[in-house]
Amino acid sequence: TGGRAELALDIRSAGSSPRVLAGNLDGSILLTLAEATLARGGRDLPFRIVSALDAGAEEPLWLRCAVLRLPVRNGLINADRGIAVETVRAAIMGMGSIDLRTETVDLAFSIRNAPGVRLRGMLGDPGLVSDGPPVKPSTEAAPCAAVTKPRR
């Protein structure tokens, strides 16, 4: 709640059903959030991911920033170091993929020098498991800055 958000979509597709449209999706998605709060709400996935990585997270969780830079090709979203979240206590990087054709997700999140978590399964009900593979830390001091930096 609160904060600032910006969403930039540059997407295109063709098809006769929502599933075919998703499977043919091409383009890019950029979402940035700044100075927002997350409150726990039942199965609230963003709060569960951040609190799994930052055991001391308190509710509501204050986000300094969150950035998702997601290229999409033929329904496959490749989040290769395209996800970053900064809280008061943690700087989180994420990577992996979301396959809109098969409706599956496989994303890994980690903070520096700590075990990660993995989000894996069907889009409608993915599971969150501990000990995901480490995500190579950014050379940037702030992960959100690293993700928003234009790529060549």
Side-chain angles (χ1 to χ4, degrees), residues 109-131:
F109 300 91
S110 71
I111 58 177
R112 289 184 200 275
N113 304 319
V117 296
R118 179 163 274 207
L119 180 67
R120 180 183 278 168
M122 298 303 293
L123 281 176
D125 190 26
L128 189 61
V129 294
S130 302
D131 300 324

Side-chain angles (χ1 to χ4, degrees), residues 28 44 56 64:
S28 64
D44 184 23
R64 288 183 176 160

Side-chain angles (χ1 to χ4, degrees), residues 3-151:
R4 297 182 316 269
E6 291 184 27
L7 175 64
L9 295 173
D10 179 12
I11 55 175
R12 58 215 151 271
S13 188
S16 57
S17 71
R19 186 174 188 135
V20 173
L21 283 168
N24 290 330
L25 196 66
D26 283 311
S28 64
I29 302 165
L30 175 62
L31 173 65
T32 59
L33 300 173
E35 301 171 13
T37 57
L38 287 178
R40 186 186 321 257
R43 297 168 42 111
D44 184 23
L45 200 51
F47 189 92
R48 285 177 44 214
I49 291 169
V50 174
S51 60
L53 289 166
D54 180 8
E58 297 178 9
E59 190 178 345
L61 181 63
W62 185 69
L63 299 178
R64 288 183 176 160
C65 68
V67 179
L68 286 85
R69 178 184 293 274
L70 307 172
V72 186
R73 298 289 174 256
N74 296 319
L76 182 63
I77 300 171
N78 180 6
D80 181 23
R81 294 185 53 185
I83 303 171
V85 177
E86 293 176 30
T87 69
V88 173
R89 297 168 31 101
I92 300 165
M93 290 293 292
M95 62 182 288
S97 64
I98 300 171
D99 192 332
L100 300 174
R101 300 164 299 188
T102 60
E103 299 181 10
T104 56
V105 60
D106 185 6
L107 297 171
F109 300 91
S110 71
I111 58 177
R112 289 184 200 275
N113 304 319
V117 296
R118 179 163 274 207
L119 180 67
R120 180 183 278 168
M122 298 303 293
L123 281 176
D125 190 26
L128 189 61
V129 294
S130 302
D131 300 324
V135 175
K136 183 178 178 184
S138 166
T139 57
E140 300 283 334
C144 288
V147 172
T148 56
K149 188 182 287 187
R151 296 188 180 156

